[in-house]
């Protein structure tokens, strides 16, 4: 403020009203400058928030870590996700200012609001002193009861039984709500999470409850978890445990408006010898992301916008080790405080996002477009796989033709003419396969190269065989000619005897011609020698 100073002579020249206006303008300008500077500093330095999210193995913690990753990537907002004992602890930290964001079961929040209302009946709904404000519905949790004794068919039959359950957090409060509805109290049930004095054992966790159930130290186990939860899946598959229906959800809704009716479908935890064996009724409750009413409106608006516009990225940020959690991201939705009066009021930042201008077509139909995109990718993948399979089959058939063609180079398969015939048959078969699109053009070209190579090899072999035959023919003809010519050297007066010998040789050569042992050319050469010899004999 001291930096802004007007000369005294300037004030002396203006009236009092103008002085007031100038000072007001200076003050407003300075305030605006401070506000803009603070916002810029906040934008560049970022906002740091703490999000308490329950057990590390729980769906809400896993999704919260994914939201943390995407929000920090898309903005300058930094979120630290902290594991806790559940909804009750989360709400306590939110109330005490030890956390800015929290995940919580809607029914436990309802209980807190009702408690505040009962303590202060004069307070109207808008003036309820609760720190939490709704931001989004993350997903639906289901009440899931696993039992070992086949005689336990309903919730009321848990009377006198031992229940594996930590005696703390929203999960325990949900179990108490159901127990009260069915007329069961603390004396009727033995909770493993309570010590010998009936007080909660802080060290007792969900993992402890799992071990007690698996080691036959408990008759039943209660969980408030999303459908397909990995922990419950292991329990029902590693033990003889089975799921029992929790009915009358609509009746429970009278006292606990945040509860909803739901169904656990047949085979949710195992398909072959299905678990459960049939569709069973149960209770569902929304898992909410809450924000403290102290968190800046713009920060919550930005977080809400990032969550809704980047659900696919949030799902992708979830570890492959938790595939059952990924589908839950698609169910993120706006809290409807009209249909579910048990929800705490919306945070003003969330309202700012939900009440913004009409969303674009892509934003409005993000779920359907995501589904269509997923289906398109699946169809593309199937078509690509089918194409690969067809091409593989075509290649296999082409490989068979190529292999059979190359084998024909082996002389042990028969003479050259026979193998040449088989080669032509292979070519005709491959050509028909190409016409009927059983092999590709590229595969046929490869086959054709093998065909040409084999044909050239067989032609060389045939030529070599022919040359051998001709050589043999020439040798046989030469031998016969030699025999005829040598008759001129015999000193015989009996021309008839010489004529008989030369004629006998002629007959032998003629037989060889007929038997294709000598060629016609060789035979003609022999005939010339025969005639010359015969004429010589007659002259002598």
């Amino acid at each position: 403020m001291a930096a802004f100073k007007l000369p005294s002579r300037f004030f002396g020249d203006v009236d009092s009203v103008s002085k007031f206006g100038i000072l007001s303008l200076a003050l407003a300008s300075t305030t605006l400058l401070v506000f803009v500077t603070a916002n810029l500093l906040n934008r560049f330095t970022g906002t740091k928030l703490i999000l308490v999210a329950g057990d590390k193995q729980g769906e809400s913690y896993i999704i919260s870590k994914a939201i943390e990753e995407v929000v920090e990537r898309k903005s300058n907002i930094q979120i630290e996700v902290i594991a806790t004992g559940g909804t009750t602890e989360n709400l306590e930290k939110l109330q005490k200012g030890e956390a800015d964001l929290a995940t919580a079961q809607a029914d436990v929040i309802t209980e807190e609001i009702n408690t505040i209302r009962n303590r202060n009946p004069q307070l109207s709904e808008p003036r309820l002193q609760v720190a939490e404000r709704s931001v989004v519905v993350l997903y639906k949790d289901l009440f899931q009861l696993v039992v070992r004794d086949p005689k336990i068919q309903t919730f009321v039959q848990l009377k006198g039984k031992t229940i594996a359950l930590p005696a703390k957090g929203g999960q325990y409060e949900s179990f108490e709500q159901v127990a009260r509805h069915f007329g069961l109290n603390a004396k009727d049930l033995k909770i493993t999470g309570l010590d010998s004095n009936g007080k909660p054992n802080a060290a007792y966790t969900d993992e402890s409850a799992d071990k007690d159930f698996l080691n036959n130290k408990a008759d039943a186990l209660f969980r408030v978890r999303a459908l397909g939860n990995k922990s419950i899946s292991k329990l029902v598959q590693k033990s003889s445990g089975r799921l029992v229906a929790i009915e009358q959800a609509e009746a429970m809704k009278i006292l606990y408006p945040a509860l909803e009716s739901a169904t656990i479908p047949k085979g949710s935890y195992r398909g072959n010898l299905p678990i459960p064996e049939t569709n069973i009724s149960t209770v569902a409750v929304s898992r909410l992301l809450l924000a403290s009413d102290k968190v800046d409106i713009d920060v919550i608006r930005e977080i809400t916008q990032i969550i809704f516009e980047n659900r696919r990225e949030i799902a992708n940020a979830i570890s492959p080790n938790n595939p059952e959690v990924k589908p839950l991201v698609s169910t993120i939705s706006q809290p409807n405080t009209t249909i579910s009066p048990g929800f705490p009021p919306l945070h003003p930042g969330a309202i700012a996002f939900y009440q913004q201008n009409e969303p674009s077509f892509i934003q409005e139909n993000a779920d359907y477009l995501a589904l269509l995109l997923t289906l398109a990718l699946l169809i593309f993948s199937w078509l690509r796989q089918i194409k690969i399979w067809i091409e593989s089959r075509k290649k296999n058939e082409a490989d068979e033709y190529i292999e059979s063609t190359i084998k024909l180079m082996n002389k042990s398969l028969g003479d050259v003419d026979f193998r040449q015939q088989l080669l032509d048959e292979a070519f005709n078969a491959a050509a028909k396969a190409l016409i009927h699109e059983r092999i590709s053009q590229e595969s046929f070209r490869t086959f054709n190269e093998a065909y040409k190579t084999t044909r050239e090899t067989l032609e060389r072999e045939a030529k070599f065989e022919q040359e051998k035959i001709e050589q043999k023919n020439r040798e046989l003809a030469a031998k016969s000619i030699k025999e005829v010519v040598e008759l001129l050297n015999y000193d015989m007066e009996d021309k008839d005897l010489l004529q008989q010998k030369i004629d006998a040789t002629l007959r032998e050569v003629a037989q060889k011609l007929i038997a294709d042992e000598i060629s016609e050319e060789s035979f003609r050469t022999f005939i010339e020698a025969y005639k010359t010899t015969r004429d010589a004999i007659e002259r002598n």
Side-chain angles (χ1 to χ4, degrees):
M1 299 288 183
F4 186 83
K5 186 176 181 181
L6 291 175
S8 57
R9 287 183 59 192
F10 179 82
F11 279 109
D13 296 334
V14 297
D15 56 63
S16 59
V17 175
S18 298
K19 288 180 183 179
F20 178 76
I22 292 171
L23 290 173
S24 298
L25 181 60
L27 180 62
S29 300
T30 305
T31 303
L32 180 60
L33 180 61
V34 171
F35 177 77
V36 170
T37 303
N39 275 295
L40 288 173
L41 287 173
N42 181 60
R43 179 166 295 278
F44 285 110
T45 58
T47 301
K48 296 182 179 180
L49 303 175
I50 294 176
L51 194 168
V52 285
D55 186 81
K56 281 191 175 182
Q57 305 302 319
E59 291 86 353
S60 59
Y61 182 89
I62 294 170
I63 293 177
S64 295
K65 289 294 291 182
I67 290 174
E68 171 194 3
E69 179 181 329
V70 175
V71 168
E72 290 185 353
R73 190 164 64 238
K74 298 285 183 179
S75 69
N76 66 334
I77 300 171
Q78 297 179 14
I79 299 177
E80 180 184 0
V81 178
I82 297 176
T84 62
T87 297
T88 302
E89 182 180 346
N90 294 350
L91 295 176
E92 288 176 358
K93 287 183 177 296
L94 211 59
Q95 288 278 2
K96 294 177 181 178
E98 296 175 3
D100 307 290
L101 302 167
T103 62
Q105 292 174 211
D107 58 331
V108 179
I109 304 169
T110 303
E111 280 291 282
E112 180 189 334
I113 293 175
N114 288 339
T115 301
I116 295 173
R117 185 187 293 111
N118 291 335
R119 286 202 306 259
N120 304 277
Q122 73 279 8
L123 291 178
S124 61
E125 190 71 23
R127 295 174 58 203
L128 289 178
Q129 299 301 306
V130 290
E132 59 267 13
R133 294 289 183 268
S134 298
V135 179
V136 299
V137 176
L138 292 175
Y139 57 91
K140 300 288 185 182
D141 270 328
L142 273 64
F143 292 9
Q144 302 186 56
L145 179 63
V146 183
V147 303
R148 191 185 305 280
D149 188 347
K151 294 180 181 179
I152 301 176
Q153 298 291 330
T154 62
F155 191 93
V156 294
Q157 291 176 318
L158 294 179
K159 186 174 183 179
K161 304 296 182 182
T162 300
I163 316 300
L165 176 66
K168 58 185 177 180
Q171 188 169 247
Y172 182 64
E173 292 187 28
S174 296
F175 180 80
E176 286 186 318
Q177 291 173 5
V178 179
R180 285 196 296 270
H181 176 78
F182 287 106
L184 302 177
N185 54 42
K187 296 179 181 179
D188 298 322
L189 303 164
K190 181 180 178 182
I191 307 299
T192 55
L194 295 173
D195 60 21
S196 57
N197 297 320
K199 294 188 177 182
N201 180 353
Y204 195 84
T205 63
D206 284 350
E207 289 77 10
S208 306
D210 291 347
K211 290 179 181 177
D212 283 345
F213 184 79
L214 289 171
N215 294 329
N216 294 321
K217 294 181 180 180
D219 303 295
L221 177 141
F222 181 81
R223 284 282 189 278
V224 181
R225 290 288 183 269
L227 191 61
N229 178 263
K230 187 183 296 185
S231 173
I232 297 175
S233 179
K234 289 180 180 178
L235 285 176
V236 298
Q237 294 185 31
K238 286 186 176 180
S239 69
S240 57
R242 58 188 181 79
L243 290 158
V244 171
I246 301 177
E247 299 177 326
Q248 303 180 25
E250 291 300 320
M252 295 182 203
K253 193 177 179 71
I254 297 172
L255 289 179
Y256 310 108
L259 301 183
E260 306 172 34
S261 59
T263 300
I264 300 177
K266 174 182 177 180
S268 295
Y269 290 100
R270 190 174 67 197
N272 190 5
L273 299 177
I275 299 176
E277 296 179 353
T278 60
N279 293 347
I280 62 174
S281 300
T282 190
V283 181
V285 62
S286 294
R287 178 75 63 163
L288 300 176
L289 175 63
L290 305 175
S292 168
D293 56 1
K294 302 294 192 297
V295 182
D296 185 80
I297 293 176
D298 291 334
V299 172
I300 296 301
R301 183 200 58 76
E302 187 169 4
I303 291 175
T304 309
Q305 181 173 355
I306 291 172
I307 291 174
F308 273 91
E309 294 181 357
N310 297 276
R311 278 177 281 193
R312 179 167 292 278
E313 291 190 36
I314 293 172
N316 291 337
I318 294 173
S319 168
N321 296 326
N322 299 291
E324 75 285 356
V325 181
K326 287 180 179 286
L328 299 180
V329 177
S330 65
T331 65
I332 291 177
S333 59
Q334 175 182 344
N336 192 325
T337 54
T338 303
I339 297 177
S340 301
F343 288 2
L346 286 172
H347 191 285
I351 294 174
F353 171 75
Y354 295 131
Q355 292 184 349
Q356 65 185 357
N357 295 331
E358 189 70 22
S360 66
F361 176 81
I362 293 177
Q363 293 172 340
E364 189 175 20
N365 300 278
D367 292 342
Y368 298 105
L369 292 175
L371 177 61
L372 289 175
L373 179 60
T374 302
L375 289 175
L377 290 174
L378 285 174
I379 292 171
F380 173 77
S381 177
W382 293 336
L383 292 175
R384 184 171 179 273
Q385 195 61 39
I386 291 171
K387 181 183 178 183
I388 292 173
W389 178 72
I390 291 173
E391 288 178 350
S392 176
R393 286 196 59 186
K394 289 181 178 181
K395 184 179 183 301
N396 290 339
E397 185 170 351
D399 289 345
E400 290 176 6
Y401 290 126
I402 294 170
E403 184 179 0
S404 64
T405 298
I406 297 298
K407 283 182 178 179
L408 293 176
M409 294 184 184
N410 191 342
K411 295 180 181 181
S412 64
L413 296 178
D415 59 35
V416 174
D417 292 337
F418 175 69
R419 285 181 283 145
Q420 186 71 266
Q421 181 182 351
L422 293 179
L423 180 63
D424 292 337
E425 290 177 358
F427 181 85
N428 291 333
K432 289 180 180 178
L434 175 64
I435 293 170
H436 292 94
E437 297 184 350
R438 295 200 308 273
I439 65 174
S440 65
Q441 292 184 2
E442 183 178 355
S443 296
F444 183 78
R445 284 193 292 270
T446 305
F447 162 79
N448 198 38
E449 292 298 324
Y451 167 79
K452 289 179 180 178
T453 302
T454 303
R455 173 169 284 282
E456 291 172 358
T457 301
L458 293 180
E459 287 175 350
R460 285 195 300 271
E461 184 180 340
K463 183 178 179 181
F464 178 72
E465 292 291 335
Q466 184 63 33
E467 289 176 351
K468 285 177 61 179
I469 292 171
E470 290 177 357
Q471 178 65 25
K472 185 177 179 181
N473 289 343
R474 287 193 294 271
E475 291 175 356
L476 288 173
K479 181 180 178 183
S480 299
I481 292 169
K482 182 179 179 182
E483 289 176 358
V484 170
V485 172
E486 284 180 348
L487 291 175
L488 296 175
N489 298 328
Y490 285 105
D491 188 13
M492 294 181 182
E493 295 182 357
D494 191 348
K495 295 181 179 180
D496 292 336
L497 181 59
L498 291 174
Q499 188 68 44
Q500 289 176 8
K501 286 185 177 183
I502 194 173
D503 289 343
T505 302
L506 175 60
R507 285 193 294 272
E508 289 178 6
V509 174
Q511 290 295 327
K512 291 178 180 178
L513 174 63
I514 294 170
D516 289 332
E517 294 180 8
I518 64 172
S519 64
E520 293 181 358
E521 183 180 356
S522 297
F523 182 75
R524 285 194 295 270
T525 304
F526 169 78
I527 290 296
E528 294 295 329
Y530 168 80
K531 290 179 179 179
T532 302
T533 303
R534 186 187 62 187
D535 292 343
I537 291 172
E538 289 177 354
R539 285 195 301 271
N540 292 336

